[in-house]
Amino acid sequence: MTFTGVLSLATSPLFHSESPLSSSSSNKVCKSTCLSCSLTQKPSTSSSSEQPNDSQINNNKKFSYSRASPSVRWPHLKLSETYPSPPQTQFTPLVEDAGFSTQLSDSDSESESKEEDNGDVGFAASSLDKNDETQLVLGRPSKTKAKKMTKLALKRAKDWRERVKFFTDRILGLKSDEFVADVLDDRKVQMTPTDFCFVVKWVGQKSWHRALEVYEWLNLRHWYAPNARMLATILAVLGKANQEALAVEIYARAEPEIGNTVQVYNAMMGVYARSGRFKRVQELLNIMRERGCEPDLVSLNTLINARLRSGAMVPNLAIELLNEVRRSGLRPDIITYNTLISGCARESNLEEAVKVYADMEAHNCQPDLWTYNAMISVYGRCGQSSKAEQLFKELESKGFFPDAVTYNSLLYAFARELNIEKVRDIGEEMVKMGFAKDEMTYNTIIHMYGKQGQHDQAQQIYRDMKMLGRIPDAVTYTVLIDSLGKENKITEAANVMSEMLDSGVKPTLRTYSALMCGYAKAGKQVEAQETFDCMIKSGIRPDHLAYSVMLDIFLRSNETKKAMTLYQEMLHDGFMPDNALYEVMLRVLGTENKLETIEKVIRDMEKVGGMNAQVISSILVKGECYDHAAKMLRLAITSGYELDRESLFSILSSYSSCGRHSEACELLAFLKEHAPGSNQLITEAMVVIQCKAGEFDAALAEYSNSKGFHSFSRSCTMYEILIQGCEKNELFGEASQVYSDMRFYGIEPSEHLYQIMVLIYCKMGFPETAHHLIEQADMKGILFDNISIYVDVIEVYGKLKLWQKAESLVGSLKQRCKTVDRKVWNALIQAYAVSGCYERARVIFNTMTRDGPSPTVESVNGLLQALIVDGRLDELYVLIQELQDMGFKISKSSILLMLEAFARAGNIFEVKKIYHGMKAAGYFPTMDSFRIMIKLLCRGKQVRDVEAMVSEMEEAGFKPDLSIWNSLLKLYAGIEDFKKTVNVYQRIKEAELQPDEDTYNTLIILYCRDRRPEEGLSLMHEMRRQGLEPKLNTYKSLISAFGKQKLLDQAEELFEELRSNGCKLDRSFYHTMMKLYRNSGNHAKAEMLLSVMKEAGIEPNFATMHLLMVSYGSSGQPQEAEKVLDNLKVTGLDLDTLPYSSVIDAYLRNGDYNTGIQKLNEMKKGGLEPDHRIWTCFIRAASLSQQTSEAFVLLNALCDAGFDLPIRLLKEKSESLIPDVDHCLEKLEPLEDNAAFNFVNALEDLLWAYELRATASWVFQLAVKRGIYNHDVFRVADKDWGADFRKLSAGSALVGLTLWLDQMQATLFLLCSFVSLFSF
């Protein structure tokens, strides 16, 4: 067998790319099937301590590389088949099979090269080509011996080849139920021991089972003498077939004198080297020396190969290995260097490869083509395609001709960078030079397209490959499965697996790993485990990745028992979980409180893994085993390791979160004593632990006390935690200060901290500062992947109406990114909307429509909001129509936005129209929309609509909240529907809602209006017990209600309570108290209140003086009231009819009609026309006059003043005056001070006094119709049979009573009629 180190690297894209075996995070799609198991023989029962990797796995359809012959390798040179072998090529063996190093003959070179295997170091059984059939142990032959061969020797060489080929063809042609003995027992030609060695070797190339059968047959023959040559041959065959257990068994039972040869040792070391079992190779090398068998260069090259395959390279490993060879008294050859460079290529370790290459030149070992190929490969793996291309050009200048391996290595370098165009050019040049694209080329291209997610293109390349006669191998299928698995295309990957099995290609370890990773990514634990079991049954031992994937699956599924069993197997086979997997394991064990198992795992990490206490402590921290981590941290400190900041902070954080502050302090005290050089870190830790413990004030205090002494490290961790705490506690100013301190000390923020500070400044309303931080991060190469950072800044700019700066930020994003994210566009539209910039928002909307990304509902709503803010509600429907014409579907949120806009504008008509349209379209408003509509309708006193909407809301599954019930309370209280108000309050209690201030205040005011102040006062006490404080208006209503109920003491008590509590009372409170004193006849107190009012800093106004005058008038002191009027005249203020009406009413109430009429005339002379106030005073006085003549004097005086309606009602026919009365009431209705109500009351008193009951009746009904009187003044029609005459004057109440009796009589008559009809 010949060396394939670099070739194997160049042919497998999985080695070049991020190998599926190199990362447990790689995901594959796999197919669980028993067919893959059925293709294999009975699994090996070996319990070896180290496992082979997937490069050892033989496919039952072996990939054959036919470019060994020079005429094939360099077709453009037109070489013949007899062209002599080139000097030391990539196929030169690193370790020769059985120790024989004779060169291959020209005719045999190609066939021998076809045996190359990706996992082999380079065994060559070419020594078996010797025609000396009796030689059992051969040394290195002379290079000139072939030239001295006689014709007889040549004939013998031809004869033995024919003999070997004859037996090989017959054995391989046997059926499965036939035996090798059938062929060998019937020997038609004489065979030598050397011939049998070749038979075993050639048969083993196709079937290791048959080769082993030949070997066993020979050992059962009494005439056969075992020899080292045959033993080395069968060991090589079994090693290539990944049958390590059988190889170990055969080696163990071999006779000592046969096995104790350097060739056999080398062969057995080659078996172990294939699987990277460096320890076993070392042990065998030591045994060789103990038994007096001196290792040769082949032995050391095998040792080097085993070490390189056993695990990751440590720094300077390659140079150390070279020095080891020299210390053994041997000189490294080209094979040694090529092996090392190939190992560096596998590890993508450019630094080590360059060192080896430099050492090679320093020791005058000339590089060959395969050296260049390996260096091109390692440069390609490390992403230096330009350097790889430079080496490609250099090797041509050195006289080497690039072969297919060279082209494939260079092609891979650019494929790794996904440079499709360059890959295409190299492929075309390769074909132009006579090298057809082979399996390796196609595998690399397929893998490239797979990494780009162009799976259709990868599949097309795969089909082209098969159509051109290239046979896909295990690498091809594995690449496809791997790439499909990473894209979660499980079905497609499963189809590829089926095709692989159908084509007879046996899945390799990498294939199974790809399947398991795919299932793991898809969350299919069962299928992943079945795949793992199937791999074991097929005779393939798991590698580190396979173990890691299954262990991770078991752990994340909380199948701890299975996980720990697998973990022990993993350790037994020489694999250690990586740190991340240990973290998961420890976290699961800690969750299940398996402390003993955790202790055992820690011992494994210490003894088996060789980890130090500091590393173990870090892993334990990440695995959330903080108590164990603290112990290991103490051990690490006492062992001289530096204090690890992150581990310490995590342990302290755990203690803090559990309230174990004393243990945290003990740990810090221990560290302060044993790690004096970490005082800065310990001080910093104290701040951090206090933050984590929620003692944020203490943390800030510790920070403030220490920051002046520069006692903090250069890490931003503490600052970041402090700032996060400030953000959490909404201490944005303190966060800004901490950040300023951090920058002052020259500490660079992390990307996360930049994001936090941008968010904090946005919350503080400083978008310019946030924008500046983004620019700072940008200059340092930090680009935020989180687009919401930019969106937040734009939104704050919008809220502050700084849309120009929002535009600037979006502009910078456009320059940096090919496409602007949809969220950014929407945020900019919203920024325009806040300022009502509809036209600008529309430009962005149109840009999104034209260039993408397409607008969303948020974009549409932004346009609507812009029109709403700009007050252009009438254009909303036009915009909606335009959007619908453009193909946009108007969403529910857009409709709700319009509804709420019209609701805020108080447009009840549009709100109803939109609401009914929503219901017709099957949409129902949200809770907020219902709330807004109900409040609007309540303000508009749309009682029926409100009640209907509340019912619909409840039918839609929404429960009215307290704010809705409060709106209903205010509605019913406003229309003085006390019954429904009480019902609403009852429903609030039934819903177990807690009344708030609005609820209590509304109810108290309602009780006051219903003249039930005692109940209102009781409710106020309950309100206070709930921790709620009544509004001043509530106090005022209570005071007024107590006054109307003649409960002056309670009113005064409330008033004095407010004054004593320091409440700032406005003028209306004093006016209310003056009314109370006036109505109670306590005029002295009213006069005194005027002084108190002035002392409180409130100057009396017209209303105050009016109340004083009314008080004087009520007390029968019209002259005093007139004095007040005269004082007002002296001030030079413009007076209206209010003070005159007070004086006139005082004289009229006192029976001094002439003076009252005189004051009326004076008012007219002063330029004031009488209004409703004067009319009401004269009409009321006329209704109360003792003589008809006095009444007519008063009414005639009013008639002379321009208002003749009252006198006409007394003298003319009433029916003709209905329009005039209605017109008068229409004019009075919108006026303040209950003008219409007081006027009708006075008019009803007059009409009743003069027994004009019919006229009084229609005037009363007209007042009800116009809403001057309450609509439910009598409720016979509602079958309530009640009436409410409160607030009506005496005449109005009598008229109402008459009408109520008439309605009751009519209803009783109808009832009797129905009864009579029923009886009839």
Side-chain angles (χ1 to χ4, degrees):
M1 177 183 280
T2 53
F3 169 54
T4 62
V6 179
L7 176 61
S8 65
L9 294 171
T11 58
S12 175
L14 288 180
F15 282 103
H16 291 293
S17 65
E18 292 78 0
S19 169
L21 298 183
S22 65
S23 172
S24 61
S25 62
S26 302
N27 294 292
K28 319 293 180 289
V29 176
C30 52
K31 174 184 175 185
S32 179
T33 174
C34 296
L35 183 56
S36 62
C37 297
S38 66
L39 295 175
T40 64
Q41 299 296 320
K42 183 177 179 180
S44 170
T45 59
S46 171
S47 59
S48 57
S49 62
E50 294 177 291
Q51 298 305 317
N53 58 34
D54 95 313
S55 62
Q56 307 146 6
I57 309 305
N58 253 356
N59 297 334
N60 61 352
K61 181 173 282 189
K62 177 85 66 174
F63 169 62
S64 176
Y65 190 65
S66 60
R67 301 191 184 279
S69 172
S71 62
V72 177
R73 291 171 64 80
W74 297 283
H76 57 292
L77 298 181
K78 299 181 180 179
L79 303 175
S80 66
E81 286 297 320
T82 60
Y83 190 88
S85 298
Q88 203 64 27
T89 68
Q90 182 169 354
F91 300 104
T92 305
L94 291 183
V95 181
E96 289 130 0
D97 192 33
F100 306 123
S101 58
T102 54
Q103 294 181 340
L104 299 173
S105 65
D106 293 339
S107 61
D108 208 37
S109 175
E110 180 177 350
S111 63
E112 290 296 316
S113 297
K114 290 181 181 180
E115 298 173 8
E116 293 171 4
D117 182 271
N118 287 347
D120 201 359
V121 182
F123 285 99
S126 56
S127 59
L128 298 180
D129 292 349
K130 280 289 185 179
N131 58 358
D132 185 354
E133 300 173 1
T134 62
Q135 184 176 1
L136 296 180
V137 180
L138 301 180
R140 183 177 297 275
S142 171
K143 294 183 179 180
T144 61
K145 186 169 184 179
K147 296 178 182 178
K148 297 179 181 179
M149 290 181 69
T150 62
K151 291 183 180 180
L152 178 60
L154 291 174
K155 183 176 183 302
R156 286 180 179 178
K158 182 178 179 182
D159 289 344
W160 74 258
R161 291 180 186 279
E162 290 176 354
R163 293 195 301 273
V164 171
K165 186 175 185 304
F166 171 76
F167 276 100
T168 299
D169 291 344
R170 289 192 62 190
I171 291 171
L172 292 177
L174 292 173
K175 296 180 180 179
S176 59
D177 57 347
E178 295 177 334
F179 301 98
V180 168
D182 297 338
V183 175
L184 296 179
D185 287 341
D186 183 23
R187 283 186 295 164
K188 297 182 179 180
V189 294
Q190 186 66 32
M191 297 287 288
T192 69
T194 302
D195 294 341
F196 281 117
C197 286
F198 271 105
V199 170
V200 170
K201 177 174 178 285
W202 287 11
V203 169
Q205 292 174 6
K206 298 295 184 181
S207 172
W208 66 268
H209 304 91
R210 292 299 189 185
L212 182 60
E213 196 175 348
V214 172
Y215 178 80
E216 295 294 346
W217 181 88
L218 286 170
N219 279 282
L220 292 175
R221 305 280 81 79
H222 63 87
W223 50 263
Y224 176 75
N227 59 79
R229 181 184 229 165
M230 177 59 78
L231 180 58
T233 303
I234 191 60
L235 289 178
V237 168
L238 293 174
K240 289 168 59 177
N242 193 34
Q243 298 301 318
E244 181 183 305
L246 291 175
V248 171
E249 182 182 348
I250 289 174
Y251 173 76
R253 74 187 189 193
E255 296 180 10
E257 61 274 12
I258 296 176
N260 192 28
T261 60
V262 67
Q263 292 81 12
V264 173
Y265 282 123
N266 287 348
M268 194 61 212
M269 284 192 291
V271 173
Y272 289 135
R274 281 177 163 274
S275 57
R277 301 178 64 182
F278 177 62
K279 291 182 180 179
R280 287 298 180 89
V281 175
Q282 273 187 318
E283 291 172 1
L284 210 54
L285 196 66
N286 293 334
I287 292 173
M288 283 180 67
R289 288 170 173 157
E290 290 172 2
R291 294 179 179 177
C293 187
E294 190 63 29
D296 59 7
L297 185 58
V298 174
S299 308
L300 294 178
N301 285 347
T302 306
L303 180 72
I304 290 173
N305 186 57
R307 173 60 188 90
L308 295 177
R309 291 181 179 275
S310 66
M313 295 180 67
V314 297
N316 295 318
L317 174 65
I319 300 302
E320 285 295 326
L321 291 174
L322 285 171
N323 292 336
E324 180 67 25
V325 173
R326 295 187 179 105
R327 282 194 292 269
S328 299
L330 299 171
R331 180 180 179 181
D333 63 359
I334 188 65
I335 300 172
T336 313
Y337 286 110
N338 284 348
T339 301
L340 287 168
I341 295 175
S342 299
C344 294
R346 281 196 300 271
E347 294 275 330
S348 299
N349 193 332
L350 178 60
E351 183 180 357
E352 289 291 309
V354 171
K355 288 180 182 178
V356 172
Y357 190 80
D359 186 274
M360 180 179 178
E361 290 183 327
H363 288 82
N364 298 319
C365 184
Q366 296 299 318
D368 60 10
L369 175 61
W370 276 257
T371 313
Y372 279 110
N373 286 351
M375 290 301 296
I376 290 173
S377 176
V378 75
Y379 277 120
R381 284 168 171 269
C382 296
Q384 297 192 24
S385 57
S386 58
K387 186 66 176 176
E389 190 171 23
Q390 179 183 338
L391 274 181
F392 179 83
K393 296 174 181 177
E394 181 182 320
L395 71 87
E396 292 182 315
S397 66
K398 294 292 181 67
F400 294 101
F401 297 105
D403 61 1
V405 177
T406 319
Y407 280 109
N408 279 328
S409 298
L410 183 64
L411 183 139
Y412 167 75
F414 289 99
R416 184 179 184 276
E417 298 177 356
L418 307 181
N419 190 336
I420 297 176
E421 183 177 352
K422 192 69 176 178
V423 168
R424 187 182 298 114
D425 293 343
I426 294 171
E428 290 174 356
E429 182 182 348
M430 180 178 179
V431 173
K432 183 179 179 182
M433 294 301 294
F435 302 105
K437 294 178 182 178
D438 59 13
E439 289 80 358
M440 291 169 280
T441 314
Y442 283 112
N443 289 346
T444 303
I445 297 173
I446 290 171
H447 192 239
M448 176 184 68
Y449 283 121
K451 287 182 67 176
Q452 283 191 317
Q454 299 185 31
H455 302 293
D456 293 340
Q457 188 67 29
Q459 293 279 4
Q460 183 59 48
I461 298 295
Y462 168 66
R463 289 190 289 270
D464 293 345
M465 173 184 183
K466 294 198 296 184
M467 184 177 66
L468 293 174
R470 295 297 179 185
I471 301 173
D473 61 358
V475 175
T476 312
Y477 291 113
T478 303
V479 165
L480 284 171
I481 292 171
D482 177 48
S483 59
L484 291 169
K486 288 177 179 176
E487 293 294 322
N488 254 343
K489 294 181 176 291
I490 298 176
T491 305
E492 292 85 343
N495 292 338
V496 172
M497 171 59 92
S498 298
E499 193 170 339
M500 179 181 187
L501 297 171
D502 293 341
S503 64
V505 178
K506 179 182 176 182
T508 66
L509 175 58
R510 292 180 180 271
T511 312
Y512 283 116
S513 297
L515 290 167
M516 286 187 289
C517 288
Y519 281 129
K521 182 177 181 181
K524 297 185 176 182
Q525 173 195 346
V526 175
E527 289 82 352
Q529 186 171 356
E530 288 176 354
T531 305
F532 183 82
D533 294 340
C534 194
M535 178 183 71
I536 298 297
K537 292 177 183 177
S538 67
I540 298 175
R541 300 296 297 172
D543 64 350
H544 184 272
L545 174 64
Y547 273 124
S548 298
V549 170
M550 285 310 302
L551 188 55
D552 185 69
I553 289 174
F554 286 144
L555 290 171
R556 296 186 186 279
S557 303
N558 292 322
E559 295 192 34
T560 314
K561 188 174 180 180
K562 289 184 179 180
M564 297 315 295
T565 302
L566 189 67
Y567 168 67
Q568 293 302 323
E569 293 178 8
M570 185 177 184
L571 291 183
H572 183 267
D573 288 342
F575 298 109
M576 288 285 292
D578 57 22
N579 291 359
L581 194 53
Y582 264 126
E583 291 163 14
V584 176
M585 182 188 301
L586 291 166
R587 191 176 297 114
V588 173
L589 294 173
T591 303
E592 298 182 5
N593 202 30
K594 296 189 175 183
L595 302 181
E596 293 183 3
T597 309
I598 293 175
E599 293 284 355
K600 185 178 182 307
V601 171
I602 293 173
R603 288 195 297 272
D604 290 339
M605 288 190 286
E606 231 175 341
K607 296 178 180 179
V608 181
M611 299 181 186
N612 61 53
Q614 188 182 49
V615 173
I616 296 174
S617 175
S618 176
I619 294 172
L620 287 166
V621 164
K622 294 174 182 175
E624 299 177 8
C625 298
Y626 298 108
D627 289 335
H628 294 87
K631 292 179 183 178
M632 295 306 298
L633 182 62
R634 291 172 188 256
L635 179 61
I637 295 301
T638 54
S639 300
Y641 290 99
E642 292 185 2
L643 182 60
D644 182 82
R645 172 184 291 102
E646 299 301 328
S647 296
L648 175 61
F649 284 175
S650 298
I651 293 169
L652 295 176
S653 174
S654 169
Y655 284 158
S656 296
S657 61
C658 298
R660 299 162 63 182
H661 304 297
S662 60
E663 294 180 52
C665 293
E666 287 176 8
L667 178 59
L668 287 173
F670 174 86
L671 295 175
K672 191 171 184 179
E673 179 182 353
H674 293 84
S678 301
N679 285 336
Q680 290 183 349
L681 181 59
I682 294 170
T683 304
E684 184 177 339
M686 185 60 72
V687 174
V688 172
I689 191 174
Q690 288 171 337
C691 288
K692 296 285 188 179
E695 300 173 1
F696 192 68
D697 293 337
L700 273 180
E702 180 75 23
Y703 169 76
S704 301
N705 294 334
S706 305
K707 69 177 181 179
F709 301 101
H710 306 283
S711 59
F712 300 121
S713 66
R714 310 297 290 180
S715 170
C716 72
T717 303
M718 182 200 65
Y719 294 99
E720 189 167 324
I721 292 175
L722 266 177
I723 290 172
Q724 285 177 333
C726 290
E727 180 195 14
K728 183 178 180 182
N729 292 275
E730 298 186 356
L731 300 174
F732 302 132
E734 288 79 354
S736 180
Q737 181 60 54
V738 173
Y739 181 74
S740 299
D741 293 342
M742 172 182 167
R743 297 313 312 274
F744 176 78
Y745 291 125
I747 300 172
E748 289 297 324
S750 64
E751 179 178 348
H752 184 226
L753 186 54
Y754 268 122
Q755 294 186 21
I756 292 173
M757 288 309 302
V758 169
L759 180 61
I760 286 175
Y761 283 123
C762 286
K763 289 180 178 179
M764 294 175 71
F766 298 149
E768 296 94 339
T769 309
H771 192 171
H772 178 65
L773 286 182
I774 291 176
E775 292 175 344
Q776 275 188 351
D778 191 12
M779 287 188 293
K780 294 176 181 177
I782 299 175
L783 301 178
F784 301 131
D785 294 331
N786 186 4
I787 201 66
S788 63
I789 296 295
Y790 303 98
V791 173
D792 288 341
V793 178
I794 296 169
E795 287 177 349
V796 179
Y797 272 138
K799 290 176 183 177
L800 298 178
K801 299 188 177 180
L802 300 173
W803 52 265
Q804 298 91 340
K805 294 186 177 181
E807 279 183 341
S808 171
L809 179 55
V810 175
S812 63
L813 280 176
K814 285 181 66 178
Q815 292 177 355
R816 186 186 310 144
C817 309
K818 293 181 180 179
T819 58
V820 178
D821 191 273
R822 182 183 286 109
K823 293 179 181 178
V824 174
W825 285 129
N826 286 343
L828 183 58
I829 290 175
Q830 190 60 39
Y832 287 138
V834 173
S835 298
C837 301
Y838 169 74
E839 283 72 21
R840 290 181 178 275
R842 187 59 186 266
V843 169
I844 301 300
F845 185 88
N846 293 341
T847 301
M848 294 174 70
T849 305
R850 182 184 67 248
D851 303 331
S854 58
T856 61
V857 173
E858 288 76 13
S859 314
V860 172
N861 290 348
L863 291 181
L864 295 173
Q865 187 67 29
L867 288 176
I868 292 168
V869 172
D870 203 24
R872 295 153 65 178
L873 299 184
D874 54 335
E875 297 181 36
L876 289 175
Y877 290 112
V878 176
L879 175 59
I880 291 295
Q881 187 60 51
E882 288 180 7
L883 293 173
Q884 288 178 330
D885 293 341
M886 293 169 66
F888 289 98
K889 183 179 179 182
I890 305 304
S891 69
K892 177 181 177 181
S893 62
S894 302
I895 298 173
L896 291 175
L897 189 63
M898 293 174 59
L899 185 146
E900 292 170 5
F902 282 116
R904 283 191 295 270
N907 194 330
I908 296 177
F909 174 77
E910 290 294 342
V911 168
K912 286 183 178 180
K913 183 170 74 173
I914 294 173
Y915 174 63
H916 293 309
M918 286 179 66
K919 289 198 298 183
Y923 292 154
F924 268 95
T926 62
M927 184 67 178
D928 287 338
S929 301
F930 270 121
R931 188 182 296 113
I932 291 171
M933 288 191 294
I934 290 172
K935 287 183 179 180
L936 172 66
L937 295 174
C938 286
R939 288 199 304 271
K941 296 185 178 180
Q942 306 282 320
V943 180
R944 292 183 179 177
D945 290 332
V946 169
E947 292 173 347
M949 188 165 291
V950 170
S951 298
E952 291 176 4
M953 175 184 176
E954 291 177 326
E955 290 174 1
F958 294 109
K959 291 183 179 180
D961 60 12
L962 188 60
S963 65
I964 292 177
W965 290 125
N966 285 344
S967 298
L968 265 68
L969 281 176
K970 292 177 183 178
L971 168 66
Y972 292 133
I975 63 175
E976 297 186 356
D977 191 333
F978 304 115
K979 180 179 179 181
K980 289 186 177 179
T981 304
V982 172
N983 184 42
V984 169
Y985 183 59
Q986 187 62 35
R987 294 197 64 179
I988 291 175
K989 289 184 175 181
E990 291 173 357
E992 297 182 353
L993 297 173
Q994 185 64 37
D996 61 2
E997 291 182 0
D998 284 345
T999 312
Y1000 283 116
N1001 285 321
T1002 304
L1003 287 171
I1004 292 171
I1005 292 172
L1006 179 66
Y1007 280 126
C1008 294
R1009 291 179 181 174
D1010 201 25
R1011 299 189 179 184
R1012 297 154 62 186
E1014 295 90 346
E1015 296 177 55
L1017 184 61
S1018 175
L1019 200 58
M1020 187 172 74
H1021 292 324
E1022 180 184 339
M1023 179 181 182
R1024 284 175 171 171
R1025 285 194 296 271
Q1026 298 295 332
L1028 304 174
E1029 191 62 31
K1031 294 180 179 178
L1032 288 177
N1033 283 339
T1034 306
Y1035 278 103
K1036 189 192 302 179
S1037 298
L1038 277 172
I1039 292 171
S1040 179
F1042 277 124
K1044 291 176 182 178
Q1045 294 297 105
K1046 308 300 182 182
L1047 300 172
L1048 189 59
D1049 292 340
Q1050 288 87 334
E1052 284 184 328
E1053 184 180 345
L1054 285 174
F1055 181 74
E1056 291 302 326
E1057 179 186 333
L1058 289 173
R1059 288 187 60 207
S1060 63
N1061 289 338
C1063 296
K1064 190 174 181 179
L1065 306 180
D1066 60 12
R1067 188 178 284 107
S1068 63
F1069 274 94
Y1070 293 96
H1071 290 177
T1072 301
M1073 290 305 298
M1074 292 179 75
K1075 290 179 184 178
L1076 296 184
Y1077 292 138
R1078 177 199 66 192
N1079 295 338
S1080 63
N1082 219 328
H1083 308 294
K1085 285 189 176 182
E1087 198 169 346
M1088 288 175 59
L1089 194 61
L1090 187 63
S1091 301
V1092 174
M1093 182 177 176
K1094 290 180 179 179
E1095 290 174 0
I1098 300 176
E1099 289 297 323
N1101 61 2
F1102 282 153
T1104 312
M1105 305 313 291
H1106 168 69
L1107 287 172
L1108 189 58
M1109 287 187 287
V1110 170
S1111 179
Y1112 283 132
S1114 301
S1115 63
Q1117 303 178 54
Q1119 295 81 6
E1120 294 297 327
E1122 188 173 357
K1123 288 179 183 179
V1124 176
L1125 177 61
D1126 293 339
N1127 290 334
L1128 288 174
K1129 290 179 181 178
V1130 172
T1131 60
L1133 298 174
D1134 292 333
L1135 303 179
D1136 60 5
T1137 60
L1138 181 61
Y1140 280 101
S1141 66
S1142 301
V1143 174
I1144 291 172
D1145 187 60
Y1147 280 113
L1148 293 179
R1149 284 178 181 275
N1150 207 34
D1152 193 351
Y1153 300 136
N1154 292 329
T1155 305
I1157 294 172
Q1158 179 185 349
K1159 296 302 173 184
L1160 173 62
N1161 293 330
E1162 287 178 6
M1163 185 185 75
K1164 288 189 66 177
K1165 288 179 182 179
L1168 285 176
E1169 289 295 325
D1171 61 3
H1172 62 90
R1173 299 188 183 99
I1174 306 298
W1175 302 342
T1176 302
C1177 291
F1178 274 86
I1179 294 172
R1180 186 186 299 114
S1183 67
L1184 297 173
S1185 62
Q1186 299 295 322
Q1187 299 181 8
T1188 305
S1189 58
E1190 293 175 346
F1192 274 93
V1193 168
L1194 292 171
L1195 295 179
N1196 284 328
L1198 201 57
C1199 182
D1200 294 340
F1203 187 63
D1204 61 352
L1205 185 59
I1207 192 70
R1208 291 172 60 198
L1209 283 171
L1210 296 180
K1211 293 182 176 181
E1212 299 179 11
K1213 291 184 178 181
S1214 63
E1215 291 80 3
S1216 62
L1217 297 175
I1218 292 176
D1220 292 340
V1221 174
D1222 188 50
H1223 179 66
C1224 179
L1225 296 180
E1226 183 181 3
K1227 289 170 58 179
L1228 294 177
E1229 196 173 353
L1231 299 181
E1232 297 178 351
D1233 300 330
N1234 292 323
F1237 184 80
N1238 293 332
F1239 177 79
V1240 173
N1241 272 347
L1243 195 58
E1244 289 289 328
D1245 287 346
L1246 177 66
L1247 294 174
W1248 186 266
Y1250 285 91
E1251 299 182 356
L1252 298 174
R1253 291 175 175 79
T1255 305
S1257 295
W1258 64 255
V1259 170
F1260 188 97
Q1261 293 178 27
L1262 198 60
V1264 173
K1265 178 182 176 182
R1266 286 209 161 270
I1268 298 171
Y1269 286 166
N1270 202 338
H1271 69 281
D1272 60 352
V1273 65
F1274 32 75
R1275 299 182 286 273
V1276 177
D1278 298 334
K1279 297 181 181 181
D1280 190 9
W1281 319 118
D1284 185 0
F1285 301 143
R1286 292 175 299 180
K1287 295 186 180 181
L1288 300 183
S1289 64
S1292 296
L1294 289 170
V1295 173
L1297 180 61
T1298 304
L1299 292 173
W1300 176 72
L1301 290 171
D1302 290 343
Q1303 288 192 14
M1304 289 287 287
Q1305 186 176 4
T1307 303
L1308 183 60
F1309 176 76
L1310 288 173
L1311 183 60
C1312 292
S1313 299
F1314 279 117
V1315 171
S1316 300
L1317 182 61
F1318 181 75
S1319 300
F1320 179 76

